[in-house]
Amino acid sequence: MNLLFGRTISLQFRLTVAVILSILLILGDRYTSGGTVLRTSLHTLVSPLLYFANVPYEVLSLGARSLQTRDQLLDENQALREKQLLQSEQLQQLQFLKKENQELRALLSASAREKSSRLIGQVLSVHSNRYSHQVVINKGTIDGLQVGQAVIDELGIVGQVTHTGTTTSRVLLVTDTTHATPVRILRNDVRTVVEGMGKLNQLTLSHVPHSQDVRIGDVLVTSGLGGTFPEGYPVAVVTSIDRDESVPFAKVYAEPIAQLDRVRLLVVLGKRNLESRND
Amino acid sequence: MIKRHYLLICFSLFLALVMALMPLPLSTDIFRPDWVLLVLMYWSLALPHRVNIGWAWVTGLIIDLATGSPLGVNSLCYSVCIYITVSNFQKIRNFSIWQQAVLVGLFLALYHLLQFWLNHFLLDIYFNPEYLWPALTGMFCWPWIFLLLRKYRRQFRIR
């Protein structure tokens, strides 16, 4: 016969301990940041679970792919070939422009742009906390990932790495309410900051004076300030402006350029090392 | 012998965790019931001397890590919910299955409100009534989970 609660610890005491531990955890998580060893090892512990939960999706997509017809594949192949041809033409120009830019920078004795490494990560389809916008990718500290690296897709900035495990990492999307990206307007180099609002298709520009030159259709690119995102990657396009003089700032909304609702393959940009930034 | 019981309970929780993490289409994602809490509730009613607040806390921490929410939020909410079920298990056991479902729905609503409230302080989010859908779907899932897990418990004689 099992003694129910006769001689064990009382429930109230257990609850008190659990609540105190949770509050300590919440505060500890809130007021420390970065990839500490403890956090990395905790995230590593749950990685197998994430990979396991991803299996059904992988199986389904494998099934869908093997059912594609030969014609579909040939068409896709043809389209990709054409795209590659166009892009390689642009690439030829890019090599030349890069060299020219380097020489001009040398003439101006400006600091050279440093090269950074790149890494391709695949998004694991697992459910995340519904109060925040984040995705899990299948790369981790084993592949040299660090907290704070910028993540892009083929069109623009997606977000940044916020938690790392050894084989998985979490990427916070630019649309999350806690995320802000320093940007400048491509047309006139005005600097500003875009913040997420918790909607996948909308961002907001913070503290824009009524007199500032912003127009609908302006492209916002990263300004490189803040050090997380390298300069010049597209972030969003301005979609609506509300210049109501009765409020202190204009309300400006923008739409992210990256396809955040269908991210699959992502590029993680290498972190610029501090030594090269200082000189 | 005791170890075998714990392994079997762990296995059911593991399946619930996988169900909770599995991707769903965006349109049905807001209706996803909280499988892990439902399974925890069943075990806390069936075997309150084995599964209680300690289990709830650890499982909550795993959920926090796996879904990337601020650490400790789900541990706290799970502990509070399981405290309520464990401290009233004798009353709840005597209810009919649909009465139980209504009660479970209330507990789930409490869990979601508590979780929202903590996240509101930590993440700056605002209330949206659709956050409470899982409480309703969870309520309708309870009878099936209850019957399934009771079969599982009797089959393997988990005590």
Side-chain angles (χ1 to χ4, degrees):
Chain A
M1 181 61 202
N2 287 305
L3 285 173
L4 285 184
F5 301 109
R7 286 181 208 152
T8 52
I9 313 156
S10 82
L11 272 180
Q12 283 77 9
F13 180 73
R14 288 184 195 216
L15 181 70
T16 320
V17 171
V19 168
I20 291 173
L21 275 178
S22 314
I23 290 174
L24 284 180
L25 250 182
I26 292 173
L27 292 178
D29 191 39
R30 182 98 176 100
Y31 294 108
T32 60
S33 60
T36 53
V37 181
L38 181 67
R39 207 174 289 208
T40 307
S41 44
L42 279 176
H43 280 277
T44 310
L45 274 181
V46 294
S47 320
L49 198 63
L50 295 176
Y51 275 103
F52 196 80
N54 187 37
V55 167
Y57 180 85
E58 289 295 327
V59 170
L60 279 181
S61 64
L62 193 74
R65 234 181 309 156
S66 59
L67 286 175
Q68 270 187 332
T69 63
R70 192 183 135 84
D71 284 345
Q72 276 172 334
L73 285 175
L74 283 176
D75 284 349
E76 195 187 335
N77 209 334
Q78 180 70 24
L80 286 175
R81 251 175 226 281
E82 279 168 16
K83 196 172 162 190
Q84 202 208 2
L85 193 67
L86 286 173
Q87 279 178 346
S88 64
E89 187 266 334
Q90 285 168 348
L91 212 60
Q92 291 165 21
Q93 280 290 310
L94 183 75
Q95 292 297 343
F96 170 71
L97 287 174
K98 245 186 183 169
K99 194 161 170 293
E100 193 179 53
N101 195 328
Q102 237 166 31
E103 284 165 5
L104 287 171
R105 273 178 173 269
L107 277 177
L108 288 166
S109 62
S111 62
R113 283 167 173 275
E114 62 266 47
K115 275 187 183 167
S116 56
S117 58
R118 281 162 186 76
L119 199 66
I120 292 185
Q122 198 182 4
V123 173
L124 296 182
S125 330
V126 290
H127 171 72
S128 283
N129 180 16
R130 57 203 178 128
Y131 302 119
S132 69
H133 288 178
Q134 33 183 298
V135 291
V136 182
I137 56 171
N138 66 349
K139 292 282 187 290
T141 46
I142 284 186
D143 311 283
L145 232 66
Q146 287 171 24
V147 169
Q149 278 181 278
V151 178
I152 61 171
D153 74 352
E154 56 191 9
L155 297 172
I157 293 276
V158 167
Q160 58 175 300
V161 178
T162 47
H163 294 96
T164 49
T166 46
T167 52
T168 52
S169 314
R170 259 174 202 287
V171 175
L172 190 71
L173 303 185
V174 282
T175 49
D176 188 83
T177 45
T178 57
H179 196 282
T181 324
V183 293
R184 65 185 165 79
I185 299 171
L186 190 62
R187 179 170 53 85
N188 54 10
D189 281 352
V190 170
R191 284 190 308 274
T192 170
V193 172
V194 289
E195 289 175 357
M197 307 168 64
K199 290 181 188 167
L200 265 182
N201 56 359
Q202 208 170 35
L203 297 163
T204 175
L205 272 70
S206 48
H207 310 305
V208 179
H210 291 296
S211 58
Q212 198 167 69
D213 180 16
V214 187
R215 292 181 205 157
I216 288 177
D218 274 351
V219 178
L220 307 168
V221 298
T222 48
S223 64
L225 296 176
T228 300
F229 297 104
E231 193 182 344
Y233 285 98
V235 180
V237 179
V238 176
T239 49
S240 84
I241 302 171
D242 179 12
R243 291 188 205 272
D244 181 0
E245 297 283 347
S246 62
V247 289
F249 294 106
K251 281 189 195 126
V252 184
Y253 296 107
E255 192 184 352
I257 291 176
Q259 292 178 310
L260 297 178
D261 51 346
R262 57 190 86 161
V263 282
R264 188 74 193 139
L265 282 175
L266 296 173
V267 182
V268 185
L269 300 176
K271 206 164 189 169
R272 293 176 293 176
N273 39 357
L274 287 168
E275 297 92 271
S276 60
R277 215 180 340 164
N278 284 344
D279 53 41
Chain B
M1 203 56 188
I2 288 169
K3 259 198 173 152
R4 192 186 67 103
H5 298 324
Y6 283 124
L7 271 181
L8 286 166
I9 297 173
C10 276
F11 180 69
S12 67
L13 275 175
F14 176 76
L15 283 187
L17 274 168
V18 171
M19 295 262 284
L21 289 174
M22 244 173 21
L24 282 183
L26 265 182
S27 50
T28 49
D29 204 37
I30 54 166
F31 302 111
R32 180 200 299 259
D34 201 76
W35 300 113
V36 182
L37 187 56
L38 285 170
V39 171
L40 265 178
M41 275 183 179
Y42 174 78
W43 288 121
S44 72
L45 290 176
L47 308 166
H49 55 288
R50 289 208 194 282
V51 178
N52 50 49
I53 296 167
W55 280 72
W57 194 83
V58 173
T59 321
L61 185 64
I62 295 174
I63 276 278
D64 276 335
L65 285 167
T67 60
S69 64
L71 292 188
V73 170
N74 275 305
S75 323
L76 184 60
C77 302
Y78 278 15
S79 306
V80 171
C81 285
I82 295 303
Y83 169 74
I84 298 172
T85 54
V86 169
S87 53
N88 297 308
F89 76 96
Q90 277 160 329
K91 282 180 219 158
I92 300 174
R93 266 187 199 172
N94 286 323
F95 287 138
S96 76
I97 203 160
W98 284 105
Q99 283 171 321
Q100 276 185 13
V102 173
L103 264 184
V104 164
L106 282 178
F107 296 152
L108 287 174
L110 171 77
Y111 159 72
H112 285 288
L113 287 175
L114 206 61
Q115 191 197 23
F116 163 76
W117 183 66
L118 285 170
N119 274 306
H120 175 67
F121 283 118
L122 294 166
L123 296 177
D124 233 23
I125 49 165
Y126 290 94
F127 189 72
N128 187 345
E130 70 186 30
Y131 289 155
L132 285 177
W133 273 117
L136 198 67
T137 49
M139 189 173 100
F140 289 114
C141 287
W142 171 257
W144 316 115
I145 289 201
F146 179 84
L147 293 174
L148 184 73
L149 283 176
R150 189 169 69 179
K151 176 87 183 137
Y152 178 73
R153 179 171 64 87
R154 289 183 177 166
Q155 184 77 37
F156 294 102
R157 297 201 184 81
I158 307 170
R159 271 172 307 205

